[in-house]
Amino acid sequence: MPSHLLQTDIVIPALTYCALLWWVSRGMSWTRRLIAAAVTLALIAWIVIAERGWN
């Protein structure tokens, strides 16, 4: 696997987000958890695409 596909500057924040979402969402319903996860992952994807497009 090429090293540019698995960078720690992308993987570590994603893992941190998953842990934070689990901790914060303990009192949330599954629907709200999925919405929060989908919105945040969409924002992450948009930022990554924008950064790679500008280079």
Side-chain angles (χ1 to χ4, degrees), residues 34-55:
L34 291 175
I35 291 170
V39 168
T40 306
L41 292 176
L43 288 172
I44 291 170
W46 181 76
I47 290 169
V48 169
I49 290 169
E51 284 181 349
R52 291 182 183 217
W54 289 335
N55 286 333

Side-chain angles (χ1 to χ4, degrees), residues 4 6-14 48 51-52:
H4 69 278
L6 186 63
Q7 297 177 356
T8 57
D9 60 339
I10 295 172
V11 173
I12 299 301
V48 169
E51 284 181 349
R52 291 182 183 217

Side-chain angles (χ1 to χ4, degrees), residues 12-40:
I12 299 301
L15 290 175
T16 304
Y17 165 72
C18 290
L20 183 62
L21 179 63
W22 172 80
W23 184 72
V24 169
S25 67
R26 288 181 291 174
M28 294 174 122
S29 68
W30 277 103
T31 305
R32 287 185 181 224
R33 287 182 194 187
L34 291 175
I35 291 170
V39 168
T40 306

